[in-house]
Amino acid sequence: SNLSMSMTSKYGLFKKGCGPFASEVYRLPFPNPYRPPVGMDADAWIDWCCWNLDNALVAQIDGSALACIVIEPVMGEGGFIPTPAKFLRKIREVCNRTGAVMIADEIQSGSGRTGKMYAIEHSGVVPDLVITAKSLGAGVPVSAVTGRAEIMDAPHLGGVGSTYGGSPLACAAALAVLDVLHEPGFMAQAQTVERVVREVWEPLRTELPIGDIRGIGAMMVVEFVKDTESKEPWMEVIANAVPLAVQRGVLLIRAGLYSNCIRFLPALDIPEDMLREALTAVADAVREAYGKLRESEVVPV
Ligand SMILES: Cc1ncc(COP(=O)(O)O)c(C=O)c1O
């Protein structure tokens, strides 16, 4: 837990009151194509972030002292941003060169949510370790570290143990989930979720303060901004919309560096009419929150 908390930048949400944290964790800029620095387009920004990976091995930590690079193939808390394939390939190259272990954190994006077993499969990059949890147990608490045998077998017998590790109940649940995921056509349902989310939300761009609609499969996000040019994040509209959505029977969770995104992460086999009903309820909640904010303060139309 201490090392995990050391990795996140989200202090108030996760780390407040805890610590001290491990010091030798380096967070590098992430090539979010929606938010390149001023004067750069998305491609230049991705290229800069790739360059900066090499630069960090001089400026921040020597490659020979690097244990691993951890990357989410689709950013979860960070705002459901698919990691550009070029950046994933660059991480692979750096790990090959330095001997560092490439770890794909698929806790949120794995187990079929993007339409493939692991989100990183969309890029063709093969990591050394994959970590999964959440959907893996379909509600039963279970997590897994899966990887190359020489890494998995490196600790001595019992060397990486835990009280609950290998719980027979959790393993049975995960095996049952894997069976369901591999049923023909099951994971492909993620594409239906993506299509429906886009169908409902794209037309609302002209009416609601939407900056971006993005994601892969059943891992979709709508990002809200005060102004589509400046892209200034608008967290209040979401903070106000969440309780209004709850009143309409839909539980929501925010996401994004600025907590200005609504994430949609429904079950892969959610019936289409139920999904549409839920998305419409959320849109109504955002419409109401937006309307009230516009009444109470002078905001751009
Ligand atoms: C991508 C990702 N990694 C790790 C975690 C934390 O996992 P755990 O609760 O098993 O420490 C989360 C939790 O939301 C997550 O989304």
Side-chain angles (χ1 to χ4, degrees):
S1 296
N2 186 284
L3 277 171
S4 305
M5 283 200 285
S6 301
M7 287 197 290
T8 182
S9 69
K10 284 201 165 181
Y11 181 76
L13 208 53
F14 299 120
K15 307 164 75 155
K16 202 169 169 187
C18 301
F21 299 106
S23 56
E24 290 200 74
V25 170
Y26 305 91
R27 274 179 238 113
L28 298 187
F30 177 81
N32 176 358
Y34 178 62
R35 292 187 179 277
V38 176
M40 252 189 213
D41 64 16
D43 286 339
W45 175 221
I46 295 166
D47 286 344
W48 186 89
C49 289
C50 289
W51 168 84
N52 190 50
L53 260 177
D54 285 328
N55 183 56
L57 297 181
V58 179
Q60 282 175 281
I61 176 167
D62 193 276
S64 63
L66 184 63
C68 64
I69 299 182
V70 184
I71 183 76
E72 289 175 85
V74 179
M75 282 288 193
E77 296 298 316
F80 282 21
I81 310 161
T83 303
K86 196 171 191 180
F87 194 58
L88 291 170
R89 286 196 295 271
K90 182 68 192 179
I91 292 174
R92 183 66 273 176
E93 180 206 310
V94 167
C95 288
N96 287 349
R97 199 172 71 230
T98 59
V101 175
M102 179 175 181
I103 303 176
D105 180 345
E106 298 257 10
I107 286 180
Q108 221 165 126
S109 60
S111 312
R113 278 177 167 173
T114 66
K116 292 191 184 286
M117 187 61 198
Y118 301 109
I120 200 164
E121 291 177 66
H122 294 280
S123 71
V125 172
V126 181
D128 300 305
L129 290 182
V130 178
I131 55 175
T132 43
K134 303 200 195 289
S135 299
L136 180 63
V140 175
V142 57
S143 58
V145 179
T146 310
R148 295 213 323 258
E150 65 264 35
I151 300 173
M152 298 305 295
D153 294 342
H156 65 270
L157 200 60
V160 181
S162 112
T163 306
Y164 297 114
S167 150
L169 172 67
C171 292
L175 288 171
V177 168
L178 293 179
D179 284 344
V180 173
L181 287 176
H182 286 110
E183 280 172 12
F186 192 86
M187 283 192 269
Q189 294 176 108
Q191 276 122 46
T192 307
V193 174
E194 177 171 348
R195 175 176 54 76
V196 173
V197 170
R198 290 190 189 279
E199 269 173 28
V200 172
W201 282 90
E202 284 293 347
L204 298 175
R205 276 184 189 267
T206 49
E207 184 197 341
L208 297 175
I210 295 170
D212 199 20
I213 300 168
R214 60 172 177 266
I216 313 178
M219 208 175 164
M220 299 295 294
V221 104
V222 182
E223 174 158 1
F224 293 87
V225 291
K226 286 194 173 166
D227 171 42
T228 50
E229 279 295 305
S230 72
K231 301 181 181 174
E232 185 186 342
W234 203 356
M235 43 287 275
E236 293 82 5
V237 77
I238 299 310
N240 295 353
V242 169
L244 294 171
V246 173
Q247 283 173 18
R248 289 168 168 84
V250 183
L251 294 177
L252 287 181
I253 187 161
R254 292 179 292 171
L257 219 47
Y258 312 102
S259 299
N260 65 325
C261 304
I262 294 180
R263 64 179 111 175
F264 300 112
L265 206 78
L268 292 184
D269 58 352
I270 186 172
E272 191 174 326
D273 56 347
M274 190 188 282
L275 177 60
R276 283 186 189 277
E277 187 185 338
L279 292 170
T280 305
V282 175
D284 288 345
V286 173
R287 195 176 284 115
E288 188 179 334
Y290 178 48
K292 281 187 181 154
L293 277 173
R294 280 181 57 188
E295 275 168 28
S296 64
E297 51 181 285
V298 181
V299 295
V301 178

